[in-house]
Amino acid sequence: MLSVMSGGASFHPSSGSSGVATASGWIALLQEDDSALRKMALEKLLECVDFLWSEVAEALPELEAMAEEKINTDGSTSDLAPLAAAVASRVFFHLQEPTQALRLALEAGPEHFDPMDVNSSPYVERLVAAALDAYVAANTTSKDEPPKDEDKMAVDGDTTQQQQQNLPMDQLQAMIDRLLETSCQAGNYTHALGVALEAKQVGKVKKIVEKSGNDLELLKHAIHLAVNVVQSKAFRNETLVVISACLELVTDNSAAAPHLIRVNQLLNRPVDAAKVLTALLTTTTTEGDEDAS
C-alpha cells in the first residue's frame, strides 16, 4: 500500500472505481515547494478528479493560480500549469460551469483536451457545445444586430457574456476551425453550414459550400436557412450573394436555375433573374426541338 506523507497529510489508494478513497493527500501536496511533488499530485488528481471532484473543488483557487503560472522563475515553460488547468477544468465541468471548464481546457492544451477525440466523453461533448455557443456569441455581438438574450445567458445557467469574453479567442477560433474542417471531411456539411450561418461568418459559408463541390441540396438548405433563420437583413443579403455565386457553378444549370432566380429576386436583382429565366427557357426550347426531331 502506497503512502505519501506531507505536512501531516496522508494519502492511501483504495480499490474503488477511481482508485482512491480521498484526494486530501494529493491536495496537500500542492502546497509543497518541490515541483516534482506538485507535478505528481496534479497527475494523481487528474486520474481521480472525475470521481472525487467535490473534494478537489476545495482546491480550485490553488489550481487556478497554478494554471496561471505558465513561466517558471528561471524563464522556462511550466509543466505544472497545463496539468493544473486540466484538473480545474474537470472540476468546473462537474460543477456544471462549461464555459469556465472550456477556458481552462483550452489553456491545458491538446494533450489534455482533444475536441476531435473519436471516443468522445460527456466532458468533451459538453465543452465542444460550449465552444460553439461562445463562438456564435462572440461573432454575433460584433454584427449589426444586438445579441439575443439567450446569447448573453448562461449555457445551463453558467455562461455569462463576461465569461465568454474571457475565453482565449485565438485558441477558440482554432478549435472551431478544426471542428468545421472535420465536419466537412466527414461529409457533414449541413452541420458546418449551420454553425457558420449562426456565427454570421459568410466567408466560412462560402468555403463550406465550395468544399461540398457546390452541392445543390446543400445550397437549397442554405437558402432555406438564410430566408427562415437568419434575422439580420445585411448578413442575409451577404449570404444570398455567396449562394448566388455558388449556384452559378452548379453543373446542372437547369436544376439550379429556379433557385438562382429565387435568390436574385430576394436580392432585388430583377435583371439577373430575367437573364437566368431567359437562359432556362432557351435551353428548354432547344431540348424540346431536339427531342421532336
Side-chain angles (χ1 to χ4, degrees), residues 24 38 53 64 85 100 112 139 158 247 255 262 282 289:
S24 59
R38 297 170 73 195
W53 60 268
E64 290 198 85
Q100 294 285 41
H112 302 291
N139 282 281
D158 91 297
L247 281 169
R262 183 188 179 202
T282 301
D289 292 341

Side-chain angles (χ1 to χ4, degrees), residues 1 8 33 44 93 117 126 130 132 152 174 188 205 253 256-257 267:
M1 183 73 72
D33 294 330
K44 294 299 182 181
F93 163 71
D117 186 1
R126 189 67 188 88
L132 292 172
K152 296 180 181 180
N188 194 0
V205 171
N253 294 331
L267 289 170

